[in-house]
């Protein structure tokens, strides 16, 4: 059983930055792509970005491109989401997930519990 635990969420003013972390259990972390998704109140869960198994390839939603950066440290079984120039519309619960490469949630089989990010105007 794989467990994913996110951390680093919180309250930040618009224009600020946060760094989310997602720590994974088990020995297969480096064998899978990782993704970040978010869900705002009353909205569907949406893809934020993803990173390949080795970390050399990343993909981002247009809404965060140029502001968010995904990285991973396979030695630490951890994936990161660096968020800069945050906007109020970035407010959501952020989830990390493990799976195949893709932008849809069905491509991912294990999910963390989520961490709240709130951006004040």
């Amino acid at each position: 059983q794989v467990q994913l635990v996110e951390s680093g969420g919180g309250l930040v003013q618009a224009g600020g930055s946060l760094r989310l972390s997602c720590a994974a259990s088990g020995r297969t972390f480096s064998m899978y792509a990782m993704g970040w998704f978010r869900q705002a109140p009353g909205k569907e869960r949406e893809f934020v970005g993803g990173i390949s198994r080795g970390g050399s390839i990343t993909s981002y939603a247009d809404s965060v491109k140029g502001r968010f950066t995904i990285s991973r440290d396979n030695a630490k079984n951890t994936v990161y989401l660096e968020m800069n120039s945050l906007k109020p519309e970035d407010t959501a619960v952020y989830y990390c997930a493990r799976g195949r490469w893709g932008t849809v949630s069905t491509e991912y089989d294990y999910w963390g519990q989520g961490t709240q990010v709130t951006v004040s105007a």
Side-chain angles (χ1 to χ4, degrees):
Q1 187 78 1
V2 174
Q3 288 188 324
L4 302 175
V5 180
E6 301 98 336
S7 61
L11 174 64
V12 64
Q13 289 187 332
S17 299
L18 280 175
R19 187 194 197 201
L20 306 184
S21 299
C22 171
S25 65
R27 300 181 179 182
T28 61
F29 180 75
S30 63
M31 297 173 61
Y32 292 89
M34 296 295 295
W36 285 96
F37 289 75
R38 66 186 182 186
Q39 187 166 19
K43 295 187 176 181
E44 293 187 354
R45 190 170 298 188
E46 65 173 358
F47 174 77
V48 173
I51 188 166
S52 61
R53 293 178 296 175
S56 61
I57 303 172
T58 54
S59 175
Y60 299 94
D62 288 343
S63 59
V64 307
K65 200 171 293 182
R67 300 188 297 122
F68 289 11
T69 302
I70 297 175
S71 60
R72 67 189 295 164
D73 185 337
N74 286 343
K76 295 183 178 180
N77 277 18
T78 302
V79 61
Y80 305 96
L81 179 65
E82 183 77 34
M83 305 185 293
N84 298 313
S85 302
L86 283 161
K87 305 175 181 179
E89 51 263 43
D90 294 318
T91 295
V93 177
Y94 283 71
Y95 300 88
C96 69
R98 186 201 84 164
R100 299 191 296 269
W101 185 251
T103 63
V104 294
S105 59
T106 51
E107 300 283 352
Y108 297 82
D109 54 1
Y110 285 97
W111 293 78
Q113 81 289 350
T115 186
Q116 176 71 46
V117 172
T118 302
V119 184
S120 63

